[in-house]
Amino acid sequence: MSTGSDLLPVEDARARALALASPLPVEWVRLDEALGRALGADVLAQRTLPPWDNSAMDGYAVRSADLTGPLPVRLAVGETIHAGETPKLELRPGICARIMTGAPLPAGADAVVMQERTRPLQLAEGPAVEILEAVSPGNFVRPRGEDARAGEPLLGRGTPLGIPELGLITAQGMLTVPVPRRPRVAILSTGDELCRADEAPEGRIVDTNAPALALAVARAGGLPTLLGIARDTQAEVSSRLADAQGFDVVLTSAGVSVGERDFVKAALQEQGVEMNFWRVAIKPGKPLAVGRRGATLYFGLPGNPTSSLVTFELFVRPVLRRLLGHSPSAVEPARVPGRLEGELRKPPGLAHYIRVAATWRDGELWARPLATQTSGALRSAASATHLLHFPREASSLAHGGYVVLLPVSWAA
């Protein structure tokens, strides 16, 4: 059994896989198709937003210079301005305007006093208000151009497109956005023991790897295509891989270790794939092969269901995000601090990724290892919220000790 000294460290393996990837060609898509992708080009603002100074509160638009005397200060109310209305009057000394949130400030106003700090009056000569506090210029004012100024950069290339970013682009009146196209991902399972879910098992087991990986690919932003199940011969595996022409990424599961019928690595090489690395100092997922032929990236993932999911999370998902245009630093798996509930032990040599269910308790994230860590059972991934990183050279982790947790994208 390998001690890990002859295997590639996880961080090095991920860096080498990412070095093979670069953003795919740019296409213009509707905004509802861009969520989760990254900008493929700089975007300039088409409009100045907001187009005028406006109020951040319901209250009174004032000239701050009118509030320098003893409080309260009484001001006449010249008009009421609602959101969507245009002010009609310019404020003169001693005059203010009733204003609602989002409404444009009238000319002459430079501040807003929130209504809770005022006392409305109805005088014989008309409406008035007593201002109970002095304010500085800009108080509760959203300045013109705070969000964007026409002609200036709005969002830069590589910016991840979340909901706020797409809202910002929508406000510019843009209907489409430039993003790298979605990666096309082929998925091939291998193994004589496998059958489809709609087939009678008759001594075989249902292939769960391909459907699970297809869901993971789709959640990561890719377009999955299932290539079926290849039987355990080099000829069939090689033939099925030959059918994967034109894809950006090809994923295989099983057949990548050192068994008598593990033909994936040899079949990849037969198809002209230049192997970048094989076997990583990790559990689960040590038998991992990564290579490239032309512009297509190949990942030979382990056959155990949980090993397949873990290696997808640590290596394939970052590559798919890179293909979608995210910067190299933004595709690394997220890490959060937590504390271990219980104790863990292992021999040094391999980095272990323990499936845990993490919950908040007393202001901290406590990680409880799932009852089973068997990589051959999907139950060892079900209910997991995070992967707990058990470092390569460590042999024990104590109860209550601080640990590094990686949120998993497969969680509900």
Side-chain angles (χ1 to χ4, degrees):
M1 180 180 295
S2 172
T3 63
S5 59
D6 57 337
L7 305 176
L8 193 62
V10 172
E11 294 75 13
D12 292 351
R14 184 162 51 245
R16 288 173 64 163
L18 285 170
L20 299 175
S22 58
L24 292 170
V26 170
E27 62 181 2
W28 286 79
V29 302
R30 298 195 318 268
L31 301 189
D32 61 348
E33 296 177 351
L35 186 64
R37 295 152 88 169
L39 275 177
D42 294 340
V43 172
L44 300 181
Q46 308 298 308
R47 301 172 177 174
T48 295
L49 295 174
W52 12 251
D53 294 347
N54 69 94
S55 178
M57 300 287 285
D58 289 348
Y60 292 85
V62 301
R63 292 161 28 95
S64 59
D66 284 345
L67 307 181
T68 56
L71 296 173
V73 173
R74 181 176 293 183
L75 300 174
V77 178
E79 66 174 327
T80 296
I81 312 165
H82 293 89
E85 296 179 347
T86 300
K88 300 179 178 64
L89 304 176
E90 177 179 354
L91 295 192
R92 303 186 308 276
I95 305 293
C96 69
R98 180 82 168 103
I99 195 166
M100 307 304 170
T101 302
L105 261 65
D110 65 358
V112 172
V113 179
M114 62 190 300
Q115 64 183 19
E116 292 86 347
R117 304 302 299 154
T118 66
R119 188 161 48 234
L121 302 171
Q122 187 61 50
L123 305 178
E125 58 271 27
V129 65
E130 286 187 342
I131 306 297
L132 306 180
E133 70 175 4
V135 295
S136 301
N139 188 68
F140 289 129
V141 173
R142 299 169 180 157
R144 177 180 183 273
E146 182 180 36
D147 245 5
R149 290 188 175 273
E152 294 183 354
L154 182 70
L155 296 170
R157 178 182 180 182
T159 299
L161 292 175
I163 293 171
E165 289 78 15
L166 290 171
L168 190 61
I169 291 171
T170 299
Q172 293 294 317
M174 297 176 62
L175 301 179
T176 59
V177 66
V179 292
R181 64 169 174 78
R182 296 189 185 278
R184 298 184 292 265
V185 182
I187 302 169
L188 173 67
S189 292
T190 69
D192 291 338
E193 75 280 13
L194 299 178
C195 66
R196 300 192 312 269
D198 59 349
E199 294 180 310
E202 298 179 350
R204 296 178 294 174
I205 59 174
V206 172
D207 173 28
T208 59
N209 282 4
L213 288 171
L215 293 172
V217 166
R219 179 166 280 190
L223 299 171
T225 297
L226 299 179
L227 298 183
I229 300 169
R231 299 305 162 197
D232 282 329
T233 69
Q234 184 171 331
E236 181 162 350
V237 174
S238 184
S239 174
R240 292 297 189 94
L241 288 173
D243 293 337
Q245 302 286 341
F247 287 93
D248 303 300
V249 178
V250 177
L251 307 180
T252 67
S253 67
V256 76
S257 191
V258 293
E260 290 183 2
R261 294 190 174 184
D262 288 336
F263 295 115
V264 167
K265 184 166 174 281
L268 288 171
Q269 292 172 320
E270 182 180 334
Q271 289 298 314
V273 177
E274 182 180 350
M275 303 308 301
N276 189 280
F277 63 87
W278 175 55
R279 289 162 48 93
V280 179
I282 183 177
K283 183 178 180 180
K286 182 172 64 175
L288 172 71
V290 175
R292 180 171 63 186
R293 180 181 65 179
T296 303
L297 304 182
Y298 291 79
F299 289 82
L301 304 181
N304 283 325
T306 298
S307 298
S308 179
L309 281 178
V310 170
T311 49
F312 179 93
E313 192 76 14
L314 297 177
F315 303 102
V316 181
R317 185 171 183 273
V319 165
L320 294 181
R321 286 174 54 78
R322 181 64 182 136
L323 295 175
L324 285 166
H326 295 274
S327 67
S329 60
V331 302
E332 287 286 331
R335 297 169 177 83
V336 295
R339 299 183 72 174
L340 174 62
E341 185 176 311
E343 297 180 352
L344 292 173
R345 297 184 181 278
K346 71 169 180 66
L350 300 180
H352 285 208
Y353 285 84
I354 309 296
R355 279 78 73 203
V356 300
T359 55
W360 282 102
R361 191 168 74 240
D362 300 326
E364 295 185 292
L365 198 60
W366 284 82
R368 174 181 54 81
L370 301 186
T372 177
Q373 295 292 320
T374 305
S375 59
L378 270 177
R379 186 174 292 276
S380 70
S383 302
T385 61
H386 297 73
L387 298 175
L388 183 153
H389 177 221
F390 196 157
R392 182 178 183 181
E393 296 308 322
S395 58
S396 64
L397 295 175
H399 172 75
Y402 285 97
V403 291
V404 174
L405 303 176
L406 288 68
V408 294
S409 65
W410 70 64

